[in-house]
Amino acid sequence: MAEFSIIRNYCQGIGPKHRSTRIDIGDDAAVFEPPQDMDIAVSTDTMVTGVHFLPDTAPSHLAHKILAVNCSDMAAMGAIPKYATLALTMPQVDEPWLAEFSAALMTQAERFKVQLIGGDTSSGNLTLSCTIIGLLDKFKVLSRASARPGSDVYVSGSVGDAALALAHLQNQINLPKTDAETLTLAHYRPEPRVELGQGLLNIADACIDVSDGLVADLGHICQQSEVSIQIELDAIPLSEAYLNFQNSYSNSDQAANSLDYALYGGDDYELAFTARADRRGEIKALSEELGLRLTKIGIATSAQEHSVMLARGDKLYRPQTHAGYQHFL
Ligand code: ADP
Ligand code: MG
């Protein structure tokens, strides 16, 4: 099947057709009218087989995830995702694969209200690279660089499920069947917190999405905001399935290590953010409005290291070095 047939059959007509789009797929570039009084947020995230996903991952999961991780970057900035382009690299033309991928991409693009306006198609190891374009009210943005000492530190939902699922899928641990199913879904189908990001625009002072691991990503806030962060280990929100996994340990040393997936595992796509203590009421109200757990897990301090420390009772621990996933290490 020729490249142009792939594009026509599987890439066109994906997502809502925004009125601001003048030219979409089919020309040398897409053209849209930038809205007045809004800023534009742009971000790219790539997923490579064997690096970001297991080689046998279902195409519907991949379609969900590539849009979800890109929308998550918009969420972390408080932006509304609007357009996307997709560079699709595949070893060969596999029509059943493309059909499933395209149908799932359609579903997710409609759900996230993102129009696919262009992309590229080529041969090579399976790689998905998506550029997402979102909108923000002028000068209103969430950033990693504006946390302040004394602020509370929060995370949405629960953390560690995606990493725990990966360990299960790679046969490093063995989970009970129902928990394995729940966690695998969290791994393959993360839910970007787009509405939360927008809700936090007037509340949070800094925000990041948890893609590399809670400690690593809070570390980015520390570096860029020039603050330190102390995380209360017992406050970290864990899912029921994660708690079952922890309880399966009888030895207390192992039980302590069993928090590692929540601290250092990646791919949760929850939002971690900081906010002044006088915002607690608004955060509680936002949590109720969205039906989403927002848990205070620590505090930002003026300590000079500009790093993350872990606390339990009155003991302080330094996190593992090289925490979080890093390429080229
Ligand atoms: P060119 O050769 O001018 O770069 P292409 O043949 O690569 O153009 O692409 C033709 C059109 O199809 C362009 O509008 C491009 O944005 C779009 N396109 C190509 N691949 C994809 C894809 N995977 N998803 C969405 N749009 C695509
Ligand atoms: Mg091209």
Side-chain angles (χ1 to χ4, degrees), residues 3 7 11 24-28 86 88 116-121:
E3 196 186 311
I7 297 166
C11 304
D24 58 17
I25 291 172
D27 221 310
D28 289 306
L86 177 69
L88 189 54
L116 189 66
I117 55 170
D120 199 18
T121 305

Side-chain angles (χ1 to χ4, degrees), residues 2-193:
E3 196 186 311
F4 73 89
S5 319
I6 298 174
I7 297 166
R8 194 182 53 229
N9 293 341
Y10 301 110
C11 304
Q12 256 169 356
I14 291 185
K17 197 166 165 37
H18 294 313
R19 267 197 311 209
S20 50
T21 310
R22 295 202 214 278
I23 296 175
D24 58 17
I25 291 172
D27 221 310
D28 289 306
V31 177
F32 63 85
E33 182 183 11
Q36 275 188 343
D37 305 322
M38 293 198 99
D39 282 338
I40 292 175
V42 187
S43 165
T44 300
D45 243 334
T46 298
M47 299 188 344
V48 180
T49 186
V51 180
H52 300 90
F53 57 91
L54 300 171
D56 58 354
T57 303
S60 58
H61 289 328
L62 294 177
H64 176 106
K65 194 155 180 174
I66 190 65
L67 269 189
V69 303
N70 277 280
C71 285
S72 179
D73 282 323
M74 292 292 109
M77 303 300 289
I80 304 170
K82 194 95 180 169
Y83 313 98
T85 64
L86 177 69
L88 189 54
T89 307
M90 305 169 288
Q92 74 267 321
V93 179
D94 176 345
E95 287 217 56
W97 189 98
L98 276 166
E100 183 184 327
F101 179 83
S102 174
L105 198 63
M106 187 100 80
T107 306
Q108 297 313 322
E110 290 290 342
R111 204 160 69 87
F112 300 139
K113 302 189 186 68
V114 170
Q115 182 183 6
L116 189 66
I117 55 170
D120 199 18
T121 305
S122 54
S123 63
N125 287 339
L126 184 60
T127 303
L128 310 169
S129 186
C130 176
T131 294
I132 190 135
I133 299 166
L135 302 177
L136 281 159
D137 283 337
K138 266 202 191 311
F139 307 115
K140 265 191 163 185
V141 64
L142 293 170
S143 138
R144 301 175 176 189
S146 41
R148 292 178 286 178
S151 281
D152 295 329
V153 177
Y154 293 82
V155 72
S156 64
S158 59
V159 284
D161 284 1
L164 198 55
L166 183 61
H168 175 80
L169 291 168
Q170 295 182 313
N171 295 315
Q172 292 160 5
I173 55 169
N174 195 11
L175 298 167
K177 193 165 178 290
T178 50
D179 286 346
E181 279 167 10
T182 317
L183 292 168
T184 317
L185 210 60
H187 172 82
Y188 285 128
R189 304 217 160 200
E191 201 46 54
R193 303 303 189 188

